[in-house]
Amino acid sequence: QVQLVESGGGLVQPGGSLRLSCAASGSTLDDYAIGWFRQAPGKGREGIACISPIDGSTYHVPSVKGRFTIARDNAKNTVYLQMNTLKPEDTAVYYCAGRNSFYAGLYYTRTYDYGYWGQGTQVTVSS
């Protein structure tokens, strides 16, 4: 059973960058599809990116595509979310999540697709 811990959040100005980390313990990330989600104040949790453990292929939702990039470092058992050109509307608590069943070519962006969650890290984009 995997445990996930997010880090790297903080306060950044519009147009700035942050890199979030999702460190895994208790199991290797090779056995899990990993997704990044975010939840803004008063809104539901939104899936924004995921990465396949089969071939490292990725999916990003349109609202972040071209600005955010999900990537994994198997040696460090960590998945990252590089966020560039941040906007105030990116302000949210960011979560990573894992699921241990997956199929090639499928990407998982719904909260009920995942059974393992981190505690979240706050990202605030403000001048």
Side-chain angles (χ1 to χ4, degrees):
Q1 184 168 338
V2 68
Q3 292 82 46
L4 302 172
V5 178
E6 303 94 335
S7 62
L11 173 65
V12 62
Q13 293 186 342
S17 298
L18 281 176
R19 188 179 76 162
L20 305 183
S21 298
C22 173
S25 61
S27 186
T28 174
L29 283 180
D30 289 348
D31 296 331
Y32 292 84
I34 299 295
W36 279 100
F37 290 74
R38 66 185 179 185
Q39 188 164 15
K43 296 188 177 181
R45 196 167 295 190
E46 172 193 22
I48 57 174
C50 59
I51 186 165
S52 168
I54 298 174
D55 57 4
S57 58
T58 62
Y59 174 77
H60 303 79
V61 297
S63 61
V64 307
K65 190 174 183 179
R67 300 190 300 125
F68 293 8
T69 302
I70 188 172
R72 67 196 302 145
D73 185 333
N74 289 337
K76 295 184 178 180
N77 217 29
T78 299
V79 171
Y80 301 98
L81 185 69
Q82 178 66 44
M83 306 188 296
N84 299 328
T85 319
L86 282 160
K87 305 174 182 180
E89 51 264 43
D90 295 318
T91 295
V93 178
Y94 283 71
Y95 301 88
C96 65
R99 62 173 281 144
N100 58 5
S101 66
F102 41 82
Y103 298 91
L106 293 184
Y107 300 102
Y108 306 94
T109 58
R110 299 164 298 186
T111 55
Y112 58 79
D113 288 329
Y114 293 86
Y116 304 94
W117 291 85
Q119 82 291 347
T121 185
Q122 175 70 46
V123 172
T124 303
V125 185
S126 175
S127 55

